[in-house]
Amino acid sequence: MSRQTLTEEMISEYQDTFNIFDNRGDQKVHVWQIGEILRACGQNPTEAEWKKYVGDDQDRRINFNEFLPILKEVAKNRDGSQAADFIEGFKVFDKEQNGTIGSAELRHLLGTLGEKMTEEECEQLFQGFEDSQGNINYEDLVASVVFGESRG
């Protein structure tokens, strides 16, 4: 979801998920169910995070139009912290503390750790981010991957 506008298809899918939790058939859910619904929509909010949007009245019921802004806000907050986490991880490999990492080192990491990427996948990912010295600005790369932003 991130900074993108929600498509009608995405909204429809979220509405379908929301409706699964409607146990009365009145197109509403209890606010205490919001955390579960957010998780079913692919988010992972803390209890404190979703509760700040719904208040203390646990008996209150809300409709989908009241839920959608909560979903957007939780997703926005998560995307920002996710990007910050990636950037912090890259800083470990930023020997010169200049916001870049060597493309050869990054290629090695992506090809050997976690879900291994192929050489072709790395080339595609790095396209447009590698400078003449073979370095990659990792903040630009993270913005592209997490938020879908193209490099300025």
Side-chain angles (χ1 to χ4, degrees):
M1 188 180 334
S2 69
R3 295 182 185 177
Q4 308 168 19
T5 305
L6 293 177
T7 64
E8 285 194 27
E9 183 179 335
M10 293 167 74
I11 292 172
S12 176
E13 288 179 24
Y14 294 138
Q15 176 124 36
D16 289 345
T17 302
F18 180 89
N19 289 339
I20 290 170
F21 290 84
D22 172 14
N23 57 6
R24 291 186 186 171
D26 62 355
Q27 314 251 312
K28 293 183 176 183
V29 299
H30 283 97
V31 294
W32 55 263
Q33 295 175 288
I34 297 298
E36 293 176 58
I37 300 169
L38 288 167
R39 284 187 271 291
C41 290
Q43 303 303 309
N44 192 21
T46 64
E47 187 172 347
E49 188 175 19
W50 67 262
K51 276 189 173 181
K52 76 180 177 186
Y53 300 110
V54 297
D56 293 328
D57 183 3
Q58 296 297 305
D59 291 328
R60 193 172 117 230
R61 292 174 58 82
I62 65 170
N63 64 31
F64 182 72
N65 290 332
E66 294 171 284
F67 168 76
L68 195 56
I70 297 169
L71 173 64
K72 288 179 181 179
E73 194 64 29
V74 168
K76 182 177 76 172
N77 292 342
R78 187 202 74 194
D79 289 344
S81 65
Q82 183 181 22
D85 291 344
F86 283 122
I87 289 168
E88 282 302 310
F90 279 121
K91 285 181 180 178
V92 172
F93 301 99
D94 184 1
K95 295 174 181 71
E96 315 245 333
Q97 307 265 313
N98 62 0
T100 64
I101 182 173
S103 61
E105 184 174 16
L106 184 54
R107 185 175 282 107
H108 174 73
L109 291 169
L110 294 174
T112 58
L113 299 175
E115 190 172 327
K116 296 163 184 51
M117 292 180 70
T118 66
E119 184 68 28
E120 294 78 29
E121 290 170 328
C122 288
E123 284 301 319
Q124 187 177 10
L125 178 65
F126 298 168
Q127 190 172 9
F129 293 100
E130 197 168 2
D131 67 16
S132 59
Q133 285 82 38
N135 293 315
I136 294 175
N137 180 308
Y138 51 82
E139 290 189 21
D140 289 346
L141 182 66
V142 168
S144 174
V145 172
V146 174
F147 299 122
E149 295 177 354
S150 60
R151 186 167 181 200

